[in-house]
Amino acid sequence: MLRRVAAGLLVLWIAATAAYLALLAAPGDIVDSIVGEGPDTPEIRAEIMREWGLDRPALVQYLDYLWRLAGGDLGRSYLLQRPVAEVIGEQVGPTFTLAAAAAALGVLLALLAALTTAGPRRPWLRRGVSTV
């Protein structure tokens, strides 16, 4: 059990690191994304860099990012200007509904395929459905 927990933590760390590196590698300036259509002055840009910790070395930013993730802080959406956890939380209900509908459709199609191919007749149909 300990091995599985460690493997799960390793996967989470790799995913978080990949997301961080993708953000660093993305074209454009993060500050431009945060400023958006709002007023853009050197003072505002400096304040954003300080507030978001973008004025610190990349390694310090990365460690701070991991620390916040470990504490459950997913950050703030640049676009929506709201906590990411709140945005995700609003989508849990519709996501569950969609997943349940997809699962029900999958079970229905599996039952239909099983009933259609049952019995010794039509072995070619059974092979075709099994292939699909």
Side-chain angles (χ1 to χ4, degrees), residues 1-47:
M1 183 168 157
L2 186 60
R3 186 179 304 154
R4 288 185 183 211
V5 170
L9 290 174
L10 178 65
V11 167
L12 288 174
W13 174 72
I14 290 170
T17 301
Y20 180 79
L21 292 174
L23 181 63
L24 284 181
D29 187 12
I30 295 173
V31 177
D32 290 337
S33 299
I34 297 171
V35 169
E37 298 296 319
D40 188 7
T41 65
E43 293 81 20
I44 291 174
R45 293 178 84 73
E47 176 62 26

Side-chain angles (χ1 to χ4, degrees), residues 18-99:
Y20 180 79
L21 292 174
L23 181 63
L24 284 181
D29 187 12
I30 295 173
V31 177
D32 290 337
S33 299
I34 297 171
V35 169
E37 298 296 319
D40 188 7
T41 65
E43 293 81 20
I44 291 174
R45 293 178 84 73
E47 176 62 26
I48 289 172
M49 292 202 51
R50 187 196 57 72
E51 180 182 340
W52 290 87
L54 301 173
D55 55 349
R56 296 179 298 168
L59 179 62
V60 174
Q61 291 179 42
Y62 172 69
L63 294 174
D64 185 47
Y65 165 74
L66 289 179
W67 181 255
R68 286 192 326 267
L69 279 180
D73 180 6
L74 300 178
R76 190 163 179 80
S77 168
Y78 300 144
L79 183 62
L80 301 175
Q81 293 300 314
R82 294 175 38 208
V84 172
E86 183 180 300
V87 174
I88 292 172
E90 290 175 354
Q91 300 305 315
V92 168
T95 300
F96 178 76
T97 302
L98 181 62

